[in-house]
Amino acid sequence: MKILVINAGSSSHKAALFDTQVGAAPQWQAQLDWTAQPGQVSLTAQATDGRSHQTTLATADRTTGLRALLATLWSGPVQVIPNPAAIEAVGHRVVHGGDRHQASVRITPAVKATIRDLIPLAPAHNPANLEGIEVAASLLPQVPQVAVFDTAFHSAMPPAAAAYPGPHDWWTQGIRRYGFHGISHRYVAQRAATLMGQPLADLKLVTCHLGNGCSLAAVAAGHSIDTTMGFTPLEGLMMGSRSGSVDPGLILHLLRQGDLTVDQLDQMLNKASGLKGISGVSNDLRAVQAAADAGDGRAQRAIAMFLHSLRRHIGAMVASLGGLDALVFTAGIGENSAFVWRETCEPLGFLGIHLQSKLERCPEDQDIAAAASPVRVWVIHTREEWAIAQDCQAIVTGS
Ligand code: ADP
């Protein structure tokens, strides 16, 4: 089945075309990025056979950009299908499904209305997701569309983990921990079970999604029972440019001082904190590490804080699980940084986590734990788009 996957974000879009009979390698992949130049978008597209295409479009409009991106599927230098009719289903990543969507769902007018209702909970993402749905529906009106939610995997978290200890009304108003990166946490948990040759139902896993945004999930019997992100993707671990958890009293203090608007505070916590805010160098761990290696004290502190935050939250997830069979690293940092694997795991030897002495990045998913380690440590390449395509196929075919 030919499935188009659209991951429409606030300032970048990703899309991929899969033939589910062929497997997890996409036949075509494309990206739009509005961040380089104001009023312009860079479009890149690649086909499996190595053909690629790069152009810049003079538009700030996300819909125009997405239409141009999708047109490269059936026309131009990276064309892979004869016409739009070759696409049999479209899967969309939707960031927030709230309490109402606890699993992937075929998109209907009612589902769109829910995604719209949830915009206050995800103001940067749900509007872009809806635009992606509208563009796909206008180009492919007969084709079924499926929404796959980033929050769904965490939706069965017990109230003890999901509720905030504020007034009870918060819970009834939907002010609770939702968690994010659920498509990735679910995929890597399932993949770890497959690679371990054990039923997911028998495993206790901590999955570490460490990219620009970072979160952990405590996965027991295939369900997320705790996670570090919360009502928004700002809670939890220190990240590339996000602070992660800080004392809420600190926010009150800053607001009381009166020097900052709410938008400035938002910008500070989301864009000028984390590795970037502490180091003053970058949100990219590689650049921060290079500065730290050259003796930059702030960069060294940023890395020490990032690792401390990661280890203390892993400890929290293990406590929620009451044990651990495997730790799983994924996303940009998690898939590539042997330094982070080592610095995270060595101090956690008391949990039964022991790494091999020689660690190297590898294009394949790999177990980096020592042979005798009671806890396995997996590095798994996340495949969120493929996970979306698989859900999409299951829903459209009713399987
Ligand atoms: P996003 O959350 O935007 O999808 P990614 O999962 O691609 O991000 O992760 C991006 C981050 O991964 C970069 O900011 C960078 O810090 C990190 N990264 C990528 N490769 C490496 C590497 N070899 N070593 C350390 N960090 C890396």
Side-chain angles (χ1 to χ4, degrees):
M1 184 172 214
K2 281 214 187 310
I3 299 182
L4 170 65
V5 173
I6 298 179
N7 178 353
S10 54
S11 58
S12 68
H13 287 1
K14 288 184 201 161
L17 184 77
F18 294 93
D19 185 333
T20 53
Q21 263 148 6
V22 175
Q27 299 191 304
W28 164 98
Q29 277 177 291
Q31 299 85 32
L32 290 168
D33 185 353
W34 278 273
T35 57
Q37 281 287 331
Q40 293 192 345
V41 61
S42 103
L43 189 168
T44 53
Q46 305 91 38
T48 339
D49 57 16
R51 285 174 296 146
S52 68
H53 173 57
Q54 204 280 323
T55 185
T56 302
L57 307 171
T59 180
D61 181 55
R62 290 192 297 228
T63 299
T64 310
L66 184 55
R67 284 178 176 274
L69 171 130
L70 295 179
T72 70
L73 270 169
W74 51 81
S75 61
V78 289
Q79 177 183 6
V80 287
I81 52 174
N83 52 56
I87 296 168
E88 296 169 84
V90 186
H92 295 269
R93 175 181 179 218
V94 178
V95 166
H96 219 306
D99 285 333
R100 280 174 267 180
H101 290 298
Q102 309 200 339
S104 302
V105 64
R106 189 156 172 165
I107 297 174
T108 61
V111 171
K112 282 196 274 190
T114 312
I115 297 170
R116 193 167 296 114
D117 289 349
L118 291 167
I119 286 175
L121 298 189
H125 292 102
N126 274 27
N129 302 154
L130 270 176
E131 284 166 21
I133 291 168
E134 296 299 354
V135 169
S138 68
L139 291 170
L140 309 162
Q142 309 303 330
V143 175
Q145 299 197 52
V146 169
V148 181
F149 299 94
D150 235 4
T151 48
F153 184 52
H154 306 293
S155 63
M157 273 194 298
Y164 287 111
H168 178 258
D169 286 354
W170 281 8
W171 180 260
T172 50
Q173 291 164 11
I175 297 178
R176 48 162 287 178
R177 185 174 283 117
Y178 289 99
F180 298 88
H181 291 145
I183 301 167
S184 177
H185 286 296
R186 183 175 56 134
Y187 171 78
V188 299
Q190 283 168 343
R191 177 86 179 129
T194 304
L195 291 165
M196 292 167 80
Q198 286 178 258
L200 188 53
D202 294 349
L203 293 172
K204 291 177 175 170
L205 308 171
V206 173
T207 51
C208 310
H209 180 107
L210 308 175
N212 278 311
C214 300
S215 70
L216 308 180
V219 182
H223 299 285
S224 169
I225 60 155
D226 204 352
T227 190
T228 56
M229 283 182 170
F231 181 68
T232 73
L234 187 52
E235 192 181 351
L237 297 171
M238 174 173 166
M239 311 182 208
S241 68
R242 286 177 235 165
S243 61
S245 294
V246 294
D247 178 355
L250 183 162
I251 312 288
L252 300 178
H253 167 78
L254 291 172
L255 286 172
R256 260 196 210 108
Q257 279 192 321
D259 298 336
L260 288 170
T261 64
V262 171
D263 285 346
Q264 285 169 329
L265 193 52
D266 185 327
Q267 168 79 13
M268 189 182 272
L269 294 168
N270 279 294
K271 303 270 192 234
S273 294
L275 287 171
K276 184 178 172 189
I278 297 296
S279 70
V281 174
S282 170
N283 61 323
D284 189 315
L285 180 64
R286 289 164 292 190
V288 182
Q289 263 186 294
D293 291 345
D296 182 323
R298 277 178 58 183
Q300 289 166 353
R301 178 184 290 185
I303 290 172
M305 288 170 65
F306 180 83
L307 294 167
H308 174 78
S309 164
L310 182 52
R311 288 188 300 255
R312 86 198 278 249
H313 283 91
I314 289 173
M317 293 299 111
V318 174
S320 291
L321 288 169
L324 184 65
D325 296 304
L327 186 66
V328 182
F329 288 104
T330 194
I333 296 171
E335 291 169 21
N336 293 298
S337 178
F339 168 81
V340 169
W341 305 335
R342 173 87 56 215
E343 295 295 318
T344 308
C345 293
E346 278 186 349
L348 299 180
F350 70 95
L351 290 175
I353 301 172
H354 302 286
L355 293 183
Q356 293 166 16
S357 51
K358 195 157 173 271
L359 300 176
E360 271 180 34
R361 290 164 59 194
C362 167
E364 306 298 324
D365 298 335
Q366 57 166 334
D367 181 357
I368 58 171
S373 177
V375 173
R376 307 318 303 163
V377 183
W378 284 94
V379 175
I380 295 182
H381 297 267
T382 193
R383 293 178 183 271
E384 287 160 294
E385 275 88 18
W386 172 237
I388 293 170
Q390 287 178 300
D391 270 24
C392 189
Q393 170 163 275
I395 285 178
V396 169
T397 59
S399 59

